[in-house]
Amino acid sequence: MKHAIFTTALKSCAALVLAACSLPVFANQPVLDAAALEALRNSPDVRVIDIRPPADYGQGHIPGALSAPYGSWRGPAHSPGQLPPLTRLAEQVQQLGLDQNSHAVVVSSGADITDFGAAARVYWTLKYLGLENLSVLNGGMQAWQEAALPLEQTTASVAPSQYEPVLNTAILATQSDVQAQIGNPDARLVDARPKNFFLGEVKAPTASTPGTIQGAVNIEHSLWFEPGTTRVVSQEKAREIAARQFPEMVDDTIAFCNTGHWAATDWFALSELAGVPNVRMYPESLADWTNAATPLPMDNEPSRGSQISNKLKSLFN
């Protein structure tokens, strides 16, 4: 009997030691799988940020996860990629109890590969606000549920922090920054959209014209996922993809899309997974570029007649 009790106690202690020793391993890892998050989530410094709609959160979420819907991190309808006012973002970060000592893990639905862009965009925003210990749950809630891990419906809360953002402007590109890099051989503009957008065959409602920014290359956001899944590739695989796509390094890489959503995936994969230096994102992207007061340089822009013809075709299809 004593032997059984001793053995059980020994196993419990070993499990606690293993869990405690494993926590630093997950720190500063841009991607966590469900098992890693399960091992980590009870750490007092961990904040699981659920960015799904409130209704989905209410139906079941990771125990202790805090609700911060994706829309609260986005801009107005005409330019969703625009950053909200700094005061609003600072208040949100404080209400989530985040500060320099926190490890924030962003959780989206995992419904499809476009959904990952939401998690990457929130990760990018937190990093822009000066937070460094950040991760994304690979595969989102879909992966968590597939792993049969616990859920709860109780709304979680934490004590607010006093964090004041220290902006990391090195990861942000403005319209003028992009203009300055057009034609620069030491810079690269990366369009993260599907090829038909890049070629000007279709456009987003927020863009005034089809096409892409002059001189851009097309690296579709879908490139960074394991085939047939909603999970991003490993860091090793991301480095292989980046080396294949960009055999020559440049001093500055700027990712963009329609509204800074798909672009967040390209930024995340290149910067956080592949480790490419000096990667920025143009958050407003083509919603901003194509609606500038003075027309800005474009490639793959159809003629006015072609645009009218394509619009008429879409009305009758």
Side-chain angles (χ1 to χ4, degrees), residues 17-254:
V17 170
L18 180 62
C21 290
S22 68
L23 294 182
V25 174
F26 299 129
N28 297 312
Q29 293 295 312
V31 172
L32 296 177
D33 63 20
L37 178 55
E38 170 62 7
L40 190 65
R41 66 179 175 82
N42 288 319
S43 172
D45 292 330
V46 170
R47 298 286 182 268
V48 179
I49 313 300
D50 190 323
I51 64 170
R52 296 176 300 155
D56 294 342
Y57 174 85
Q59 289 174 3
H61 53 266
I62 295 169
L66 304 164
S67 180
Y70 183 47
S72 66
W73 303 94
R74 300 283 272 166
H78 73 277
S79 184
Q82 183 179 315
L83 282 162
L86 182 58
T87 52
R88 192 175 108 194
L89 287 173
E91 182 181 1
Q92 174 137 293
V93 164
Q94 291 165 0
Q95 290 302 311
L96 292 170
L98 296 172
D99 59 27
Q100 298 95 326
N101 299 316
S102 303
H103 181 177
V105 184
V106 184
V107 178
S108 59
S109 73
D112 52 41
I113 61 174
T114 287
D115 173 78
F116 182 86
R121 173 63 192 246
V122 173
Y123 178 112
W124 177 87
T125 303
L126 292 172
K127 190 162 186 174
Y128 171 70
L129 294 173
L131 298 171
E132 289 292 336
N133 195 2
L134 305 168
S135 302
V136 169
L137 174 59
N138 206 4
M141 281 300 297
Q142 184 179 84
W144 185 266
Q145 291 174 293
E146 286 173 355
L149 291 168
L151 296 171
E152 70 176 13
Q153 294 180 317
T154 305
T155 300
S157 63
V158 293
S161 74
Q162 299 299 314
Y163 181 70
E164 292 296 333
V166 179
L167 300 185
N168 179 3
T169 56
I171 63 172
L172 171 74
T174 64
Q175 184 187 104
S176 58
D177 290 333
V178 177
Q179 283 183 269
Q181 297 296 31
I182 290 178
N184 180 0
D186 292 323
R188 181 180 290 118
L189 304 178
V190 177
D191 188 334
R193 300 175 302 161
K195 190 175 183 179
N196 56 348
F197 282 92
F198 175 76
L199 293 177
E201 297 169 352
V202 295
K203 75 174 186 68
T206 51
S208 67
T209 183
T212 191
I213 297 174
Q214 188 177 93
V217 296
N218 188 206
I219 305 296
E220 297 187 42
H221 72 107
S222 57
L223 184 69
W224 305 104
F225 295 86
E226 295 289 355
T229 77
T230 63
R231 293 175 173 83
V232 290
V233 298
S234 66
Q235 289 178 287
E236 181 181 6
K237 182 65 174 177
R239 286 191 288 269
E240 292 175 3
I241 294 171
R244 185 166 63 247
Q245 295 292 328
F246 303 136
E248 296 180 2
M249 297 296 291
V250 294
D251 295 335
D252 188 22
T253 298
I254 300 174

Side-chain angles (χ1 to χ4, degrees), residues 253-296:
T253 298
I254 300 174
F256 69 92
C257 59
N258 292 315
T259 64
H261 180 98
W262 286 327
T265 296
D266 269 17
W267 172 84
F268 183 89
L270 289 167
S271 173
E272 309 301 274
L273 296 180
V276 175
N278 304 321
V279 182
R280 298 190 280 172
M281 185 172 72
Y282 176 23
E284 298 90 347
S285 292
L286 286 169
D288 176 64
W289 187 264
T290 63
N291 288 294
T294 301
L296 297 172

